[in-house]
């Protein structure tokens, strides 16, 4: 293994990947996200993420913000449907300063009322800005359509109404119910001695009280696909076509990741881009995405185009999907798809903050982290027959389509 793990007495795991560099990247990932919010409290996990950077028991907001910026480090955070992540990039000699700050904001934030009100206004502005970006808003609306009446369909940011009603008691209850110390990972990639790193983490995280609260995530019920068109004050037509997909532990996950990359993944040579942008010049942006979750997954194809070209773009997308359902990939096609995907994954390792966050999530989800060689081995094992089977399972007649059309 090219990483090391140590578990503190309270359940918090320390993950280290050695890397010879003057720069260290680290993250603290909590297995708690928007899907864990109670009904009516949408946006709560994201609200907490924002408020972590406000006052703590021993630091003001300015002291928190300056703690790393004064030494040129970068501090940030984000929330997904299943995770909350705080991360930083810094000169290696400032790791203790960073660990100290992470412990402070994650376990000693005070959430004062005046900061709640200020940040509530910031998030309401963030929601409004997303609504002004149809390529962003359509993704959220599509997921709501795909997971009707389920927490996975709720917008991570919440709604203006739900955010306006959130209070300090909601925050305390959510953290008590979901910030399980056994579902937390502090991960570091950099040039550090592992034993010294463990001692450092014992010093700062060792006294954090253990919390073994068990979350209760419900699996979404099956539903039929549908097509929905909505008029919006926009100049172009925006469309998403997609379906529910495999969860993270499914044996077809690697195959769908490969298929997604072939169809509409990174680069200009994917099938959708070659057919719809390069051949016909219909859409500036066309891409596909696959997001595996703990008990579900999301596959989607997005494009934006002029209203009069939208029908043709839609027809061409379905034509490409039908090809994949009807025709098994040839030996050379499959080999080329694998080589492209493997090369992209290898290059992505250069994004070391992305790599260490990915490793932390893997440790949370599976209890281990695959090496590059193991990942490549899984890709090489995907067969043309499996790709055909996946295509017929995901691109079937249950596809859901959401269209934003310009108002007449």
């Amino acid at each position: 293994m090219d990483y090391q793990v140590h578990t503190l007495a309270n359940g918090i795991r320390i993950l280290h990947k050695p890397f010879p560099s003057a720069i260290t990247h680290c993250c603290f990932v909590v297995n708690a996200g928007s899907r864990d919010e109670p009904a009516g409290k949408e946006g709560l996990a994201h609200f907490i993420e924002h408020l972590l950077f406000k006052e703590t028991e021993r630091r003001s907001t300015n002291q928190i913000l300056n703690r790393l910026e004064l030494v040129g480090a970068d501090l940030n955070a984000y929330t997904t449907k299943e995770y909350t992540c705080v991360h930083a990039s810094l000169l290696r000699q400032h790791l203790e300063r960073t660990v100290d700050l992470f412990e402070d904001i994650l376990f000693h934030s005070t959430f004062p009322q005046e900061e709640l009100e200020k940040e509530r206004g910031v998030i309401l502005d963030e929601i409004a800005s997303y609504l002004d970006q149809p390529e962003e808003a359509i993704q959220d609306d599509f997921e709501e359509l795909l997971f009707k009446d389920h927490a996975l369909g709720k917008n991570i940011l919440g709604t203006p109404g739900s955010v306006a009603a959130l209070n300090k008691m909601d925050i305390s209850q959510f953290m008590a119910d979901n910030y399980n110390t056994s579902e937390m990972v502090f991960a570091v990639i950099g040039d550090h001695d592992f034993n010294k790193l463990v001692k450092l983490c014992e010093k700062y995280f060792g006294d954090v009280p253990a919390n073994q609260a068990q979350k209760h995530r419900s699996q979404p019920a099956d539903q039929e696909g549908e097509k929905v068109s909505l008029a919006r004050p926009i100049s172009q037509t925006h469309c998403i076509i997609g379906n529910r997909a495999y969860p993270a532990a499914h044996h077809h996950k690697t195959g769908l990741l490969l298929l997604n990359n072939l169809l509409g993944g990174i680069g200009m040579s994917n099938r959708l881009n070659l057919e719809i942008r390069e051949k016909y010049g219909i859409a500036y942006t066309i891409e596909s995405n696959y997001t595996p979750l703990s008990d579900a997954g999301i596959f989607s194809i997005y494009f934006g185009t002029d209203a009069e070209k939208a029908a043709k773009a839609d027809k061409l997308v379905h034509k490409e999907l039908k090809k994949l359902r009807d025709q098994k990939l040839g030996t050379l096609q499959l080999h080329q798809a694998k080589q492209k995907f493997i090369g992209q994954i290898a290059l992505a390792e250069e994004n070391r903050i992305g790599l260490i966050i990915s490793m932390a999530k893997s440790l949370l989800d599976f209890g281990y982290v695959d090496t590059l060689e193991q990942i490549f081995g899984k890709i090489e094992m995907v067969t043309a027959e499996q790709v055909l089977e996946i295509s017929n399972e995901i691109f079937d007649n249950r596809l859901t389509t959401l269209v934003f059309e310009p108002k007449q």
Side-chain angles (χ1 to χ4, degrees):
M1 294 191 300
D2 61 349
Y3 66 93
Q4 295 161 295
V5 176
H6 176 81
T7 303
L8 303 179
N10 54 21
I12 297 173
R13 279 170 285 180
I14 313 304
L15 167 65
H16 177 233
K17 180 177 173 65
F19 191 86
S21 173
I23 305 299
T24 290
H25 304 276
C26 62
C27 63
F28 197 104
V29 183
V30 183
N31 190 10
S34 63
R35 73 171 300 177
D36 302 308
E37 296 159 350
K41 306 293 183 184
E42 290 80 20
L44 180 54
H46 175 254
F47 196 28
I48 292 170
E49 173 233 306
H50 272 239
L51 289 165
L52 292 176
F53 294 87
K54 305 306 173 182
E55 292 180 20
T56 68
E57 292 167 6
R58 58 193 176 95
R59 287 189 174 97
S60 67
T61 301
N62 284 345
Q63 287 173 324
I64 291 168
L65 298 178
N66 284 327
R67 182 67 178 160
L68 292 186
E69 286 195 5
L70 284 177
V71 293
D74 179 58
L75 173 68
N76 216 327
Y78 66 88
T79 308
T80 70
K81 292 186 185 292
E82 298 191 318
Y83 303 103
T84 301
C85 174
V86 180
H87 57 90
S89 300
L90 49 132
L91 286 169
R92 63 183 295 274
Q93 62 263 35
H94 300 310
L95 181 60
E96 180 163 6
R97 173 185 286 251
T98 306
V99 175
D100 173 32
L101 181 65
F102 276 26
E103 190 272 340
D104 195 25
I105 64 175
L106 283 156
F107 300 104
H108 302 285
S109 284
T110 55
F111 308 109
Q113 190 62 38
E114 64 271 20
E115 294 292 351
L116 262 69
E117 297 310 323
K118 274 194 275 185
E119 214 55 35
R120 196 191 312 277
V122 169
I123 292 171
L124 291 173
D125 284 344
E126 188 178 357
I127 293 171
S129 74
Y130 267 74
L131 294 176
D132 285 339
Q133 302 173 61
E135 66 277 11
E136 301 282 353
I138 196 171
Q139 185 69 49
D140 291 328
D141 287 6
F142 173 76
E143 290 174 8
E144 189 169 354
L145 200 58
L146 202 60
F147 297 102
K148 283 184 178 175
D149 303 317
H150 190 274
L152 281 175
K154 303 302 182 184
N155 192 317
I156 292 168
L157 300 180
T159 66
S162 66
V163 171
L166 297 175
N167 58 48
K168 190 170 179 176
M169 187 177 296
D170 296 329
I171 292 169
S172 299
Q173 192 63 55
F174 181 85
M175 295 183 79
D177 291 344
N178 294 283
Y179 275 45
N180 182 330
T181 46
S182 293
E183 296 186 29
M184 297 177 176
V185 171
F186 176 64
V188 177
I189 181 169
D191 190 9
H192 300 277
D193 177 84
F194 183 60
N195 291 328
K196 290 180 180 177
L197 175 62
V198 169
K199 286 180 182 176
L200 183 65
C201 292
E202 287 277 9
K203 176 181 174 182
Y204 287 98
F205 297 129
D207 291 334
V208 172
N211 177 6
Q212 302 302 321
Q214 297 301 306
K215 61 170 57 70
H216 303 286
R217 289 176 174 171
S218 62
Q219 193 166 0
D222 290 338
Q223 65 183 51
E224 294 298 312
E226 59 181 311
K227 182 168 184 176
V228 176
S229 294
L230 301 172
R232 291 282 189 267
I234 51 180
S235 57
Q236 274 199 322
T237 294
H238 298 262
C239 178
I240 288 193
I241 302 164
N243 203 350
R244 294 189 188 177
Y246 308 120
H250 197 280
H251 66 284
H252 275 332
K253 181 185 78 169
T254 302
L256 182 52
L257 287 168
L258 176 66
L259 176 58
N260 170 70
N261 200 56
L262 168 73
L263 181 65
I266 298 169
M268 305 293 284
S269 63
N270 63 68
R271 288 192 173 193
L272 290 175
N273 197 72
L274 288 175
E275 182 72 8
I276 292 163
R277 174 174 169 159
E278 298 301 326
K279 186 174 180 180
Y280 290 98
I282 292 177
Y284 174 70
T285 300
I286 181 158
E287 61 190 15
S288 66
N289 287 285
Y290 165 42
T291 304
L293 303 166
S294 59
D295 56 1
I298 301 166
F299 174 82
S300 64
I301 296 167
Y302 163 81
F303 65 84
T305 188
D306 294 334
E308 64 271 16
K309 299 175 183 174
K312 184 170 184 180
D314 180 80
K315 184 178 178 181
L316 289 169
V317 168
H318 283 280
K319 179 183 171 186
E320 289 302 314
L321 296 181
K322 189 173 188 305
K323 277 187 200 173
L324 288 165
R325 290 200 311 270
D326 294 347
Q327 301 169 19
K328 192 167 70 172
L329 292 179
T331 304
L332 180 60
Q333 287 177 317
L334 183 60
H335 173 74
Q336 289 175 335
K338 289 177 178 178
Q339 291 305 300
K340 178 183 177 184
F341 194 33
I342 286 170
Q344 289 170 347
I345 291 170
L347 286 177
E349 288 255 318
E350 292 296 305
N351 174 12
R352 293 195 290 279
I353 184 63
L355 172 63
I356 197 62
I357 292 172
S358 176
M359 292 178 69
K361 289 179 178 177
S362 181
L363 190 62
L364 280 172
D365 288 342
F366 307 114
Y368 62 86
V369 182
D370 281 334
T371 64
L372 262 186
E373 289 70 26
Q374 288 169 324
I375 293 168
F376 296 163
K378 289 179 180 180
I379 294 169
E380 291 287 9
M381 288 177 66
V382 176
T383 66
E385 289 77 14
Q386 288 171 338
V387 173
L388 190 66
E389 180 184 346
I390 292 165
S391 298
N392 279 283
E393 286 183 353
I394 304 300
F395 310 149
D396 65 5
N397 56 11
R398 294 173 301 153
L399 287 172
T400 289
T401 302
L402 177 61
V403 182
F404 282 1
E405 298 177 317
K407 280 184 177 176
Q408 298 300 319

